[in-house]
Amino acid sequence: QVQFVESGGGLVQPGGSLRLSCAASGSIFNVYAIGWYRQAPGKTRELVATITSGGRTNYADSVKGRFTISRDDDKNTVYVQMNSLKPEDTADYFCNRVPAVLKWGQGTQVTVSS
């Protein structure tokens, strides 16, 4: 069973940047589409960025132009660079396949606040 370990979250001021990392226990990123998901307090989990096995990317409208997803197959790691962060980006961030059929990791918390 693949396990995901997310990291890189923290507290950042509006307009700031963070880079999140998602390490997988197996070599799946070059096989399946992988997404970054987030869940804000009191809201359902949503998919915000996807990278396919072929490297194509897709973004939710709410993050388009601000978030960039990438991956390093040698390190079994997927990243999301988040720029121009807004308070509404505050959430727990997770990675998983798209669709999300694997076990969720612990996630990493992102708080955007002044």
Side-chain angles (χ1 to χ4, degrees), residues 8 14 18 20 34 41 45 53-54 57 61 78 80 86 112:
L18 283 173
L20 307 184
I34 300 295
R45 198 167 297 184
S53 58
T57 59
D61 287 343
V78 171
V80 61
K86 304 176 181 180
V112 185

Side-chain angles (χ1 to χ4, degrees), residues 1-77:
Q1 176 77 341
V2 175
Q3 292 185 326
F4 296 108
V5 178
E6 299 91 351
S7 62
L11 173 64
V12 63
Q13 292 186 343
S17 298
L18 283 173
R19 188 177 83 152
L20 307 184
S21 299
C22 166
S25 58
S27 299
I28 67 166
F29 294 150
N30 59 349
V31 178
Y32 302 110
I34 300 295
W36 277 98
Y37 301 76
R38 68 184 182 187
Q39 186 168 18
K43 296 188 176 181
T44 58
R45 198 167 297 184
E46 62 172 340
L47 176 65
V48 296
T50 304
I51 186 165
T52 69
S53 58
R56 288 189 304 173
T57 59
N58 193 45
Y59 301 93
D61 287 343
S62 58
V63 306
K64 197 170 295 183
R66 300 187 298 119
F67 288 17
T68 303
I69 188 171
S70 61
R71 71 169 198 253
D72 185 332
D73 293 339
D74 291 337
K75 296 182 179 179
N76 293 333
T77 301

